[in-house]
Amino acid sequence: MPPRAVSAVFDESNLFADVGLVPVMRLAERAGLAELARASVRIDGADNSGGANPAAKVTSLIAAMCAGADSIEGADRLRHGAMSTAFGGIRAPSTLGTFLRSFTHGHALQLHAVHRTFLGELAVHTPLVPGAGQLAFIDVDSTHKRVFGRAKPGAQYGRFKGIRTLHPLLSTICTPLARPVIAGVRLRQGKSADSRGAERFVTEAVATAAEAGCTGIRLLRADSQFYDAGVVAVCRRAGARFSITTGMNPSIKRAIAAVPDGAWRQIRYPTAVPDPTTGELIFDAEVAEIPDYTAFTGRPKAEQVTARLIVRRVRDLAKPAVEGEQGELFPLWRHHPFFTDSPFETLQGERQHRHHALIEKVIAGSKASGLAHLPSGHFNANAAWLTLWAMTYNLRENLSRGGSGSVCIRMPRTGGRRVRRVTFDDPGLVSGYGGTRVSPPSKGAAPCSV
Protein backbone atom coordinates (compact mmCIF):
# COMPACT_ATOMS: atom_id res chain seq x y z
CA MET A 1 0.00 0.00 0.00
CA PRO A 2 1.41 3.42 -0.90
CA PRO A 3 1.68 5.94 1.93
CA ARG A 4 -1.23 8.33 2.35
CA ALA A 5 1.01 11.35 2.75
CA VAL A 6 4.49 12.06 1.51
CA SER A 7 6.60 15.05 2.46
CA ALA A 8 9.96 16.23 1.15
CA VAL A 9 12.48 18.28 3.11
CA PHE A 10 15.51 20.10 1.67
CA ASP A 11 18.48 20.18 4.03
CA GLU A 12 20.76 21.84 1.47
CA SER A 13 20.53 25.62 1.46
CA ASN A 14 21.67 25.88 -2.17
CA LEU A 15 18.98 23.66 -3.73
CA PHE A 16 15.77 24.81 -5.34
CA ALA A 17 13.39 23.47 -7.96
CA ASP A 18 13.36 26.13 -10.67
CA VAL A 19 17.02 26.74 -11.50
CA GLY A 20 16.04 27.67 -15.05
CA LEU A 21 14.70 30.96 -13.74
CA VAL A 22 18.26 32.22 -13.27
CA PRO A 23 19.09 32.75 -16.98
CA VAL A 24 15.48 33.72 -17.73
CA MET A 25 15.43 36.58 -15.27
CA ARG A 26 19.02 37.57 -15.99
CA LEU A 27 18.04 38.10 -19.62
CA ALA A 28 14.91 40.02 -18.57
CA GLU A 29 17.15 42.20 -16.43
CA ARG A 30 19.52 42.86 -19.33
CA ALA A 31 16.57 43.74 -21.58
CA GLY A 32 15.53 46.38 -19.03
CA LEU A 33 12.24 44.86 -17.86
CA ALA A 34 12.40 46.37 -14.37
CA GLU A 35 13.35 49.82 -15.67
CA LEU A 36 10.54 49.74 -18.26
CA ALA A 37 7.95 48.79 -15.63
CA ARG A 38 9.24 51.41 -13.22
CA ALA A 39 9.07 54.15 -15.87
CA SER A 40 5.73 53.26 -17.48
CA VAL A 41 3.46 51.68 -14.85
CA ARG A 42 2.34 54.34 -12.42
CA ILE A 43 -0.54 53.45 -10.12
CA ASP A 44 -1.26 56.33 -7.78
CA GLY A 45 -3.83 56.41 -5.00
CA ALA A 46 -4.45 52.63 -4.91
CA ASP A 47 -5.76 51.06 -1.71
CA ASN A 48 -3.22 49.30 0.55
CA SER A 49 -0.35 50.85 -1.46
CA GLY A 50 -1.11 48.36 -4.24
CA GLY A 51 0.74 50.42 -6.83
CA ALA A 52 4.00 50.70 -4.90
CA ASN A 53 7.17 49.36 -6.55
CA PRO A 54 5.57 48.08 -9.78
CA ALA A 55 8.93 46.89 -11.16
CA ALA A 56 9.38 44.24 -8.46
CA LYS A 57 5.77 43.07 -8.81
CA VAL A 58 5.84 42.85 -12.61
CA THR A 59 9.08 40.84 -12.58
CA SER A 60 7.79 38.60 -9.77
CA LEU A 61 4.66 37.74 -11.75
CA ILE A 62 6.62 37.05 -14.94
CA ALA A 63 9.10 34.86 -13.03
CA ALA A 64 6.21 32.93 -11.48
CA MET A 65 4.65 32.32 -14.92
CA CYS A 66 8.02 31.16 -16.27
CA ALA A 67 8.11 28.66 -13.40
CA GLY A 68 4.65 27.39 -14.29
CA ALA A 69 2.24 29.49 -12.22
CA ASP A 70 -1.23 29.78 -13.76
CA SER A 71 -2.82 31.65 -10.85
CA ILE A 72 -1.88 34.37 -8.40
CA GLU A 73 -1.47 31.78 -5.65
CA GLY A 74 1.02 29.93 -7.87
CA ALA A 75 3.47 32.81 -7.43
CA ASP A 76 4.19 31.44 -3.95
CA ARG A 77 6.61 28.93 -5.52
CA LEU A 78 9.11 31.79 -5.78
CA ARG A 79 9.45 31.90 -1.99
CA HIS A 80 10.45 28.26 -1.41
CA GLY A 81 13.86 26.66 -1.09
CA ALA A 82 16.90 28.75 -1.93
CA MET A 83 15.15 31.24 -4.20
CA SER A 84 16.33 34.14 -2.05
CA THR A 85 19.93 33.06 -2.73
CA ALA A 86 19.67 33.90 -6.42
CA PHE A 87 16.83 36.44 -6.47
CA GLY A 88 16.03 39.65 -4.68
CA GLY A 89 12.77 41.54 -4.36
CA ILE A 90 10.37 38.57 -4.40
CA ARG A 91 6.79 39.55 -3.51
CA ALA A 92 4.15 37.42 -1.78
CA PRO A 93 1.05 36.30 -3.73
CA SER A 94 -1.21 38.48 -1.58
CA THR A 95 0.87 41.54 -2.50
CA LEU A 96 0.81 40.61 -6.17
CA GLY A 97 -2.97 40.12 -6.08
CA THR A 98 -3.43 43.56 -4.53
CA PHE A 99 -1.22 45.01 -7.27
CA LEU A 100 -3.26 43.45 -10.08
CA ARG A 101 -6.57 44.53 -8.55
CA SER A 102 -5.28 48.11 -8.52
CA PHE A 103 -5.23 48.22 -12.33
CA THR A 104 -7.62 50.37 -14.32
CA HIS A 105 -7.98 50.37 -18.11
CA GLY A 106 -5.40 53.13 -18.33
CA HIS A 107 -2.90 51.16 -16.25
CA ALA A 108 -3.44 48.14 -18.51
CA LEU A 109 -2.49 50.35 -21.47
CA GLN A 110 0.67 51.36 -19.60
CA LEU A 111 1.55 47.67 -19.28
CA HIS A 112 0.89 47.20 -23.03
CA ALA A 113 3.52 49.88 -23.67
CA VAL A 114 5.99 47.96 -21.50
CA HIS A 115 5.23 44.80 -23.50
CA ARG A 116 5.89 46.48 -26.86
CA THR A 117 9.18 48.04 -25.77
CA PHE A 118 10.30 44.87 -24.01
CA LEU A 119 9.76 42.84 -27.19
CA GLY A 120 11.98 45.25 -29.11
CA GLU A 121 14.69 45.01 -26.45
CA LEU A 122 14.56 41.20 -26.52
CA ALA A 123 15.01 41.31 -30.30
CA VAL A 124 18.20 43.32 -29.74
CA HIS A 125 19.71 40.65 -27.46
CA THR A 126 19.05 37.57 -29.62
CA PRO A 127 17.80 36.92 -33.17
CA LEU A 128 14.20 36.71 -32.04
CA VAL A 129 12.73 37.04 -35.56
CA PRO A 130 15.45 35.90 -37.98
CA GLY A 131 14.66 36.72 -41.58
CA ALA A 132 12.48 39.71 -40.65
CA GLY A 133 14.64 41.89 -42.86
CA GLN A 134 13.11 40.12 -45.86
CA LEU A 135 9.64 38.92 -44.84
CA ALA A 136 7.56 38.86 -41.66
CA PHE A 137 4.02 37.62 -41.09
CA ILE A 138 1.75 39.46 -38.66
CA ASP A 139 -1.15 37.21 -37.65
CA VAL A 140 -4.25 38.51 -35.88
CA ASP A 141 -6.95 36.34 -34.33
CA SER A 142 -9.42 36.22 -31.48
CA THR A 143 -10.23 33.44 -29.03
CA HIS A 144 -12.62 32.69 -26.19
CA LYS A 145 -11.49 31.70 -22.70
CA ARG A 146 -14.09 29.94 -20.60
CA VAL A 147 -14.56 31.21 -17.05
CA PHE A 148 -16.68 29.75 -14.29
CA GLY A 149 -17.20 32.59 -11.84
CA ARG A 150 -20.73 33.89 -12.37
CA ALA A 151 -19.82 37.30 -10.95
CA LYS A 152 -16.59 37.66 -12.94
CA PRO A 153 -16.76 41.03 -14.77
CA GLY A 154 -16.89 40.79 -18.55
CA ALA A 155 -17.71 37.07 -18.62
CA GLN A 156 -20.74 36.68 -20.87
CA TYR A 157 -22.60 34.13 -22.96
CA GLY A 158 -21.38 34.76 -26.48
CA ARG A 159 -20.54 32.46 -29.38
CA PHE A 160 -20.76 29.26 -27.35
CA LYS A 161 -24.23 28.44 -26.07
CA GLY A 162 -24.37 28.04 -22.30
CA ILE A 163 -20.67 28.87 -21.80
CA ARG A 164 -19.49 32.08 -20.18
CA THR A 165 -16.30 33.43 -21.73
CA LEU A 166 -13.91 36.32 -21.95
CA HIS A 167 -12.80 37.19 -25.48
CA PRO A 168 -9.11 38.11 -25.98
CA LEU A 169 -7.55 39.44 -29.17
CA LEU A 170 -4.06 38.22 -30.04
CA SER A 171 -1.44 39.21 -32.62
CA THR A 172 1.81 37.39 -33.37
CA ILE A 173 4.90 37.93 -35.49
CA CYS A 174 6.74 35.13 -37.27
CA THR A 175 8.97 34.61 -40.31
CA PRO A 176 9.65 31.65 -42.60
CA LEU A 177 12.61 30.93 -40.27
CA ALA A 178 11.15 31.68 -36.85
CA ARG A 179 8.31 30.60 -34.60
CA PRO A 180 5.75 33.21 -33.51
CA VAL A 181 6.25 35.78 -30.80
CA ILE A 182 3.39 37.83 -29.40
CA ALA A 183 3.06 41.39 -30.68
CA GLY A 184 -0.02 42.36 -28.68
CA VAL A 185 -3.01 41.19 -26.66
CA ARG A 186 -6.30 42.74 -25.59
CA LEU A 187 -8.94 41.38 -23.22
CA ARG A 188 -12.58 42.01 -24.16
CA GLN A 189 -15.99 41.03 -22.87
CA GLY A 190 -17.43 37.69 -23.96
CA LYS A 191 -20.07 39.21 -26.28
CA SER A 192 -17.66 41.55 -28.05
CA ALA A 193 -17.68 41.26 -31.83
CA ASP A 194 -14.57 39.61 -33.22
CA SER A 195 -13.65 42.78 -35.11
CA ARG A 196 -14.33 45.23 -32.29
CA GLY A 197 -11.28 47.49 -31.95
CA ALA A 198 -9.59 45.70 -34.87
CA GLU A 199 -8.31 48.85 -36.60
CA ARG A 200 -6.47 50.15 -33.55
CA PHE A 201 -5.23 46.68 -32.66
CA VAL A 202 -3.85 46.06 -36.16
CA THR A 203 -2.22 49.51 -36.15
CA GLU A 204 -0.34 48.62 -32.97
CA ALA A 205 0.58 45.13 -34.22
CA VAL A 206 2.11 46.49 -37.45
CA ALA A 207 4.00 49.19 -35.52
CA THR A 208 5.26 46.66 -32.98
CA ALA A 209 6.58 44.47 -35.80
CA ALA A 210 8.62 47.40 -37.10
CA GLU A 211 9.99 48.06 -33.60
CA ALA A 212 11.00 44.38 -33.33
CA GLY A 213 13.17 44.65 -36.44
CA CYS A 214 10.73 43.68 -39.22
CA THR A 215 12.16 45.95 -41.91
CA GLY A 216 11.27 43.85 -44.96
CA ILE A 217 7.84 42.93 -46.31
CA ARG A 218 5.25 42.86 -43.52
CA LEU A 219 2.23 40.73 -44.43
CA LEU A 220 -0.85 40.87 -42.20
CA ARG A 221 -2.84 37.61 -42.18
CA ALA A 222 -6.29 37.29 -40.64
CA ASP A 223 -9.58 35.41 -40.77
CA SER A 224 -12.83 36.66 -42.26
CA GLN A 225 -13.90 38.57 -39.13
CA PHE A 226 -11.15 41.07 -39.97
CA TYR A 227 -12.23 41.47 -43.62
CA ASP A 228 -12.93 45.17 -43.24
CA ALA A 229 -12.11 48.29 -45.22
CA GLY A 230 -10.68 49.93 -42.11
CA VAL A 231 -8.22 47.08 -41.47
CA VAL A 232 -7.04 47.15 -45.09
CA ALA A 233 -6.64 50.94 -44.91
CA VAL A 234 -4.50 50.58 -41.77
CA CYS A 235 -2.16 48.18 -43.59
CA ARG A 236 -1.79 50.49 -46.57
CA ARG A 237 -1.09 53.55 -44.42
CA ALA A 238 1.61 51.64 -42.54
CA GLY A 239 3.23 50.26 -45.70
CA ALA A 240 2.24 46.67 -44.89
CA ARG A 241 0.61 44.05 -47.13
CA PHE A 242 -2.55 42.09 -46.27
CA SER A 243 -3.92 38.59 -46.78
CA ILE A 244 -7.43 38.28 -45.30
CA THR A 245 -10.02 35.53 -45.64
CA THR A 246 -13.22 36.97 -47.10
CA GLY A 247 -15.96 34.42 -46.56
CA MET A 248 -18.64 34.01 -49.23
CA ASN A 249 -20.77 37.05 -50.03
CA PRO A 250 -22.82 37.56 -53.26
CA SER A 251 -20.09 39.63 -54.96
CA ILE A 252 -17.43 37.00 -54.31
CA LYS A 253 -19.74 34.19 -55.42
CA ARG A 254 -20.28 35.95 -58.75
CA ALA A 255 -16.54 36.48 -59.19
CA ILE A 256 -15.79 32.79 -58.49
CA ALA A 257 -18.55 31.63 -60.85
CA ALA A 258 -16.92 33.64 -63.64
CA VAL A 259 -13.56 31.86 -63.31
CA PRO A 260 -13.05 29.66 -66.42
CA ASP A 261 -12.41 25.95 -65.84
CA GLY A 262 -8.95 26.17 -67.38
CA ALA A 263 -7.82 28.74 -64.80
CA TRP A 264 -7.84 26.29 -61.87
CA ARG A 265 -4.39 24.92 -60.95
CA GLN A 266 -3.93 21.63 -59.14
CA ILE A 267 -2.05 21.60 -55.82
CA ARG A 268 -1.28 18.80 -53.41
CA TYR A 269 -0.76 19.33 -49.70
CA PRO A 270 2.42 17.87 -48.18
CA THR A 271 0.23 16.81 -45.26
CA ALA A 272 -3.50 16.17 -45.25
CA VAL A 273 -5.93 18.96 -44.34
CA PRO A 274 -9.16 18.01 -42.51
CA ASP A 275 -12.43 18.93 -44.20
CA PRO A 276 -14.15 21.52 -41.94
CA THR A 277 -17.52 19.78 -42.23
CA THR A 278 -16.85 16.05 -42.38
CA GLY A 279 -13.42 15.83 -40.80
CA GLU A 280 -12.17 13.66 -43.66
CA LEU A 281 -8.59 14.22 -44.76
CA ILE A 282 -8.04 16.12 -48.02
CA PHE A 283 -4.81 15.80 -49.98
CA ASP A 284 -5.75 17.64 -53.17
CA ALA A 285 -7.23 21.01 -54.05
CA GLU A 286 -7.30 23.55 -56.88
CA VAL A 287 -6.39 27.23 -56.81
CA ALA A 288 -7.32 30.13 -59.11
CA GLU A 289 -6.72 33.87 -59.00
CA ILE A 290 -8.97 36.80 -59.87
CA PRO A 291 -6.36 39.54 -60.43
CA ASP A 292 -8.50 42.70 -60.22
CA TYR A 293 -11.26 42.24 -57.67
CA THR A 294 -12.73 45.39 -56.12
CA ALA A 295 -13.78 44.93 -52.51
CA PHE A 296 -16.05 47.02 -50.27
CA THR A 297 -18.08 48.38 -53.18
CA GLY A 298 -20.85 49.42 -50.81
CA ARG A 299 -18.56 52.03 -49.25
CA PRO A 300 -17.45 55.42 -50.66
CA LYS A 301 -15.15 55.27 -53.69
CA ALA A 302 -12.12 56.34 -51.65
CA GLU A 303 -12.53 53.34 -49.34
CA GLN A 304 -12.89 50.72 -52.09
CA VAL A 305 -9.83 48.54 -52.67
CA THR A 306 -8.80 46.66 -55.83
CA ALA A 307 -6.40 43.75 -55.31
CA ARG A 308 -6.12 40.00 -55.92
CA LEU A 309 -8.76 37.46 -54.90
CA ILE A 310 -7.20 34.00 -54.58
CA VAL A 311 -9.60 31.07 -54.25
CA ARG A 312 -8.88 27.52 -53.12
CA ARG A 313 -11.52 24.91 -53.85
CA VAL A 314 -11.82 21.33 -52.58
CA ARG A 315 -14.35 18.63 -53.33
CA ASP A 316 -17.44 18.84 -51.10
CA LEU A 317 -17.22 15.56 -49.21
CA ALA A 318 -20.29 16.37 -47.14
CA LYS A 319 -22.62 15.49 -50.05
CA PRO A 320 -23.85 11.86 -50.14
CA ALA A 321 -22.35 9.62 -52.77
CA VAL A 322 -24.50 8.82 -55.84
CA GLU A 323 -25.71 5.23 -55.82
CA GLY A 324 -26.41 3.03 -58.83
CA GLU A 325 -24.88 3.10 -62.29
CA GLN A 326 -25.29 6.82 -62.85
CA GLY A 327 -22.18 8.59 -61.69
CA GLU A 328 -21.67 12.17 -60.62
CA LEU A 329 -23.19 14.62 -63.13
CA PHE A 330 -20.89 17.45 -62.06
CA PRO A 331 -18.48 17.93 -59.13
CA LEU A 332 -19.48 19.97 -56.09
CA TRP A 333 -16.86 22.21 -54.54
CA ARG A 334 -16.23 24.12 -51.32
CA HIS A 335 -14.56 27.48 -51.96
CA HIS A 336 -12.15 29.28 -49.61
CA PRO A 337 -11.30 32.78 -50.92
CA PHE A 338 -8.96 35.39 -49.47
CA PHE A 339 -8.23 38.98 -50.49
CA THR A 340 -4.59 40.02 -50.77
CA ASP A 341 -2.08 42.42 -52.23
CA SER A 342 0.76 39.97 -51.55
CA PRO A 343 3.59 40.27 -54.09
CA PHE A 344 4.05 36.50 -54.23
CA GLU A 345 2.99 34.07 -56.95
CA THR A 346 -0.49 32.55 -56.63
CA LEU A 347 0.38 29.14 -55.20
CA GLN A 348 3.01 30.58 -52.88
CA GLY A 349 0.58 33.21 -51.65
CA GLU A 350 -2.04 30.50 -51.00
CA ARG A 351 0.43 28.40 -48.98
CA GLN A 352 1.48 31.43 -46.96
CA HIS A 353 -2.12 32.31 -46.18
CA ARG A 354 -2.91 28.81 -44.92
CA HIS A 355 0.12 29.10 -42.63
CA HIS A 356 -1.91 31.68 -40.67
CA ALA A 357 -3.25 28.70 -38.69
CA LEU A 358 0.06 28.74 -36.80
CA ILE A 359 -1.43 31.31 -34.43
CA GLU A 360 -3.85 28.65 -33.21
CA LYS A 361 -0.91 26.76 -31.70
CA VAL A 362 0.04 29.84 -29.70
CA ILE A 363 -3.55 30.17 -28.46
CA ALA A 364 -3.72 26.47 -27.54
CA GLY A 365 -0.41 26.70 -25.71
CA SER A 366 -1.61 29.73 -23.75
CA LYS A 367 -4.62 27.83 -22.43
CA ALA A 368 -2.31 25.05 -21.26
CA SER A 369 -0.04 27.40 -19.35
CA GLY A 370 -0.42 30.95 -18.04
CA LEU A 371 -3.98 31.35 -19.35
CA ALA A 372 -5.30 28.10 -17.93
CA HIS A 373 -7.17 30.53 -15.67
CA LEU A 374 -7.89 34.23 -15.81
CA PRO A 375 -7.52 34.21 -12.07
CA SER A 376 -9.02 37.45 -10.76
CA GLY A 377 -12.53 38.69 -10.13
CA HIS A 378 -11.47 42.08 -11.55
CA PHE A 379 -11.60 42.60 -15.31
CA ASN A 380 -8.56 44.91 -15.51
CA ALA A 381 -6.55 42.57 -13.28
CA ASN A 382 -7.18 39.82 -15.82
CA ALA A 383 -6.26 42.21 -18.64
CA ALA A 384 -2.94 42.86 -16.89
CA TRP A 385 -2.44 39.11 -16.33
CA LEU A 386 -2.95 38.52 -20.07
CA THR A 387 -0.27 41.09 -20.97
CA LEU A 388 2.15 39.67 -18.41
CA TRP A 389 1.64 36.22 -19.92
CA ALA A 390 2.49 37.65 -23.37
CA MET A 391 5.77 39.07 -22.03
CA THR A 392 6.53 35.72 -20.39
CA TYR A 393 5.92 33.89 -23.65
CA ASN A 394 8.27 36.18 -25.58
CA LEU A 395 10.95 35.89 -22.92
CA ARG A 396 10.88 32.10 -23.08
CA GLU A 397 10.86 32.14 -26.89
CA ASN A 398 13.92 34.41 -26.82
CA LEU A 399 15.82 31.99 -24.59
CA SER A 400 14.95 29.02 -26.78
CA ARG A 401 16.75 30.62 -29.75
CA GLY A 402 20.25 31.03 -28.28
CA GLY A 403 23.62 29.51 -29.13
CA SER A 404 26.28 27.84 -26.96
CA GLY A 405 26.19 26.97 -23.28
CA SER A 406 23.15 25.17 -21.89
CA VAL A 407 20.69 25.09 -19.06
CA CYS A 408 17.51 23.19 -18.30
CA ILE A 409 14.38 25.32 -18.08
CA ARG A 410 11.06 24.03 -16.85
CA MET A 411 8.31 24.75 -19.37
CA PRO A 412 4.65 24.59 -18.29
CA ARG A 413 2.51 21.93 -19.94
CA THR A 414 -0.88 20.44 -19.24
CA GLY A 415 -0.66 17.70 -16.62
CA GLY A 416 2.73 18.70 -15.25
CA ARG A 417 6.02 20.14 -16.41
CA ARG A 418 8.63 18.79 -18.75
CA VAL A 419 12.25 19.80 -18.91
CA ARG A 420 13.50 21.32 -22.15
CA ARG A 421 17.20 21.85 -22.80
CA VAL A 422 17.91 25.35 -24.04
CA THR A 423 21.22 26.73 -25.32
CA PHE A 424 22.68 30.23 -25.05
CA ASP A 425 25.40 32.12 -26.88
CA ASP A 426 26.40 34.08 -23.77
CA PRO A 427 28.12 31.93 -21.12
CA GLY A 428 27.64 34.75 -18.62
CA LEU A 429 23.93 34.00 -18.52
CA VAL A 430 24.47 30.66 -16.84
CA SER A 431 27.93 31.04 -15.30
CA GLY A 432 28.06 29.70 -11.76
CA TYR A 433 24.76 27.83 -11.98
CA GLY A 434 24.61 24.14 -12.84
CA GLY A 435 21.93 21.45 -12.54
CA THR A 436 19.78 22.26 -9.56
CA ARG A 437 22.60 23.41 -7.28
CA VAL A 438 23.05 27.15 -6.93
CA SER A 439 26.05 28.70 -5.27
CA PRO A 440 25.51 31.95 -3.39
CA PRO A 441 26.58 35.08 -5.30
CA SER A 442 30.17 36.10 -4.82
CA LYS A 443 30.90 38.87 -2.36
CA GLY A 444 29.64 42.17 -3.73
CA ALA A 445 27.60 40.59 -6.56
CA ALA A 446 23.90 41.33 -6.65
CA PRO A 447 21.33 38.57 -7.23
CA CYS A 448 18.88 38.74 -10.13
CA SER A 449 16.01 41.14 -9.53
CA VAL A 450 12.59 39.53 -9.29
Side-chain angles (χ1 to χ4, degrees), residues 273-288:
V273 176
D275 183 273
T277 302
T278 67
E280 295 188 50
L281 297 181
I282 302 171
F283 288 91
D284 293 290
E286 295 180 350
V287 175

Side-chain angles (χ1 to χ4, degrees), residues 87-425:
F87 300 106
I90 298 172
R91 296 299 191 265
S94 59
T95 302
L96 299 176
T98 301
F99 171 64
L100 290 173
R101 289 189 293 272
S102 301
F103 270 70
T104 64
H105 176 67
H107 298 131
L109 294 179
Q110 293 173 0
L111 197 59
H112 293 157
V114 174
H115 165 72
R116 287 182 58 180
T117 308
F118 185 56
L119 177 61
E121 291 297 322
L122 287 176
V124 170
H125 284 76
T126 62
L128 190 61
V129 279
Q134 288 74 45
L135 173 63
F137 301 110
I138 305 167
D139 294 301
V140 179
D141 205 353
S142 63
T143 185
H144 286 264
K145 181 67 187 77
R146 185 176 186 178
V147 296
F148 296 92
R150 298 186 63 85
K152 184 166 287 190
Q156 298 170 338
Y157 296 112
R159 177 181 300 176
F160 303 100
K161 184 177 180 180
I163 297 178
R164 297 168 63 86
T165 67
L166 291 169
H167 192 183
L169 269 179
L170 184 79
S171 64
T172 63
I173 304 168
C174 68
T175 72
L177 303 176
R179 297 188 305 273
V181 294
I182 298 174
V185 288
R186 288 291 185 277
L187 188 64
R188 288 124 22 104
Q189 296 182 353
K191 283 186 178 179
S192 297
D194 288 336
S195 59
R196 179 183 176 186
E199 292 182 38
R200 179 177 178 180
F201 189 69
V202 168
T203 299
E204 293 186 7
V206 173
T208 301
E211 294 169 6
C214 301
T215 57
I217 297 172
R218 292 169 294 166
L219 180 62
L220 177 85
R221 303 184 296 194
D223 291 332
S224 57
Q225 62 262 34
F226 298 97
Y227 179 59
D228 181 82
V231 171
V232 172
V234 164
C235 293
R236 295 201 153 181
R237 285 197 300 268
R241 305 295 185 119
F242 59 86
S243 181
I244 306 175
T245 301
T246 66
M248 295 292 289
N249 60 42
S251 173
I252 288 174
K253 288 180 180 179
R254 289 193 297 270
I256 293 174
V259 176
D261 290 339
W264 295 97
R265 300 168 60 184
Q266 186 80 16
I267 63 171
R268 182 171 178 84
Y269 301 120
T271 56
V273 176
D275 183 273
T277 302
T278 67
E280 295 188 50
L281 297 181
I282 302 171
F283 288 91
D284 293 290
E286 295 180 350
V287 175
E289 177 180 324
I290 301 165
D292 296 307
Y293 175 78
T294 301
F296 319 119
T297 54
R299 302 178 73 95
K301 188 71 173 180
E303 298 179 16
Q304 297 176 18
V305 179
T306 299
R308 306 158 66 196
L309 186 69
I310 297 178
V311 186
R312 173 172 54 93
R313 71 178 186 179
V314 297
R315 296 294 294 273
D316 192 345
L317 301 178
K319 303 299 181 183
V322 178
E323 297 182 359
E325 295 183 358
Q326 181 177 354
E328 184 179 52
L329 295 178
F330 54 88
L332 297 176
W333 301 92
R334 296 175 63 90
H335 296 91
H336 306 275
F338 65 94
F339 188 54
T340 182
D341 64 350
S342 162
F344 302 101
E345 186 269 338
T346 302
L347 294 185
Q348 184 179 5
E350 196 276 335
R351 286 193 298 270
Q352 290 174 344
H353 184 76
R354 280 190 286 112
H355 193 251
H356 166 69
L358 188 65
I359 194 173
E360 297 293 346
K361 294 185 177 181
V362 177
I363 292 172
S366 73
K367 295 177 181 179
S369 56
L371 297 190
H373 312 281
L374 286 167
S376 179
H378 293 247
F379 182 85
N380 290 311
N382 286 325
W385 180 271
L386 178 66
T387 306
L388 290 166
W389 165 78
M391 287 192 278
T392 302
Y393 180 95
N394 291 340
L395 182 59
R396 292 203 312 254
E397 279 297 308
N398 189 298
L399 285 169
S400 70
R401 301 175 190 187
S404 60
S406 65
V407 68
C408 289
I409 295 181
R410 293 187 180 273
M411 306 293 284
R413 291 290 187 274
T414 301
R417 297 177 179 84
R418 302 174 185 173
V419 176
R420 177 182 294 178
R421 183 162 295 277
V422 182
T423 59
F424 301 91
D425 57 1

Side-chain angles (χ1 to χ4, degrees), residues 421-436:
R421 183 162 295 277
V422 182
T423 59
F424 301 91
D425 57 1
D426 187 347
L429 287 176
V430 295
S431 178
Y433 302 96
T436 56

